[in-house]
Amino acid sequence: MTDVTLMPGRRRWPWAAGLVLAVMVGTLRYGNDLAIALEDDLPSTSHGTPAAGSLENGKRLPARGANFRAYSDLGALLGRNAVHHAVRDTLLDAYDEMRRAWPDTVFVYGEAGWPSGGDFAPHRTHQNGLAVDFFVPVLDRQQRSRRLPTHAFNRYGYDVEFGADGEWHGYHIDFPAMAAHLRALSDAAARHGLRIERVIFDGTLQPQLFDADGDGLEALMAFSTRRTHTRHDEHYHVVFAQR
């Protein structure tokens, strides 16, 4: 009798565990989408600077699109992908332009900020919704566009270290695609009342970026030449400013 009464309970455990797992996976995959759906339509307001500021009515970026992905579904779920509404619109317009002009290229964006801005550890900036990290587009050994691997074991991409030749473990930075993306961001920013104030990207890799562009990218936007506490070789940090 004891065995008979315990068996139904035992059979329910796999179903309960499966249900919990399904809920967890669904939340991770669609939680950011739900949070976006619940956002209000109020415009965003940035206060202060990226290094000392805050943000009202910040808007989350979609975790994925036709040609882009967030660096982490968990990061997006937690709200570490929030920006000023004009920055969101700029990014999505630029990705749409890249989809038309570079249909085979895929992109990964990195961290942005909290919906309310403020301190954003471990970053020293990203506080007022006007700064976004973009991971470099990469090609594999067969010259196919791939998403740079970003996961917990490489600190979601931030521990990737490219050599001076732009190579890392069989991946090569796609400098022409990166230059085109920056130009698309600049064009889209102008349509949404913004401009690119500064781009932070590793100084040893900047010449390859400028050579790949060939149209004076460095004259279109300011590239930082100061040494930073991290190399910024695996990502380019873009700071927007309102016109």
Side-chain angles (χ1 to χ4, degrees), residues 50 125-126 131-134 198-201 232 235-239:
T125 58
H126 294 263
V132 184
D133 288 344
F134 298 95
R198 184 173 68 260
V199 178
I200 301 177
F201 183 57
H232 289 79
H235 76 277
Y236 41 112
H237 174 95
V238 179
V239 181

Side-chain angles (χ1 to χ4, degrees), residues 146-200:
R146 299 295 189 191
R147 289 193 295 273
L148 184 71
T150 58
H151 47 70
F153 298 105
N154 64 9
R155 206 162 61 92
Y156 296 100
Y158 284 93
D159 277 346
V160 170
E161 291 287 336
F162 282 90
D165 57 358
E167 299 277 352
W168 174 77
H169 292 188
Y171 293 95
H172 181 79
I173 298 175
D174 189 348
F175 289 106
M178 178 180 167
H181 181 228
L182 283 167
R183 285 184 171 275
L185 284 171
S186 180
D187 292 344
R191 295 193 295 270
H192 293 286
L194 301 174
R195 61 182 175 84
I196 294 180
E197 182 178 81
R198 184 173 68 260
V199 178
I200 301 177

Side-chain angles (χ1 to χ4, degrees), residues 1-7 10:
M1 291 296 295
T2 300
D3 290 342
V4 172
T5 57
L6 286 178
M7 282 301 294
R10 289 176 179 174

Side-chain angles (χ1 to χ4, degrees), residues 55-87:
L55 178 65
E56 294 181 44
N57 302 314
K59 310 302 181 185
R60 292 170 179 245
L61 295 168
R64 51 186 39 80
N67 62 342
F68 70 89
R69 295 289 186 275
Y71 72 108
S72 163
D73 281 336
L74 177 59
L77 176 64
L78 295 174
R80 296 181 66 87
N81 63 337
V83 293
H84 187 283
H85 74 270
V87 175

Side-chain angles (χ1 to χ4, degrees), residues 83-99:
V83 293
H84 187 283
H85 74 270
V87 175
R88 175 202 59 193
D89 296 343
T90 293
L91 268 60
L92 296 182
D93 277 6
Y95 279 138
D96 193 49
E97 172 59 27
M98 293 303 296
R99 180 183 58 81

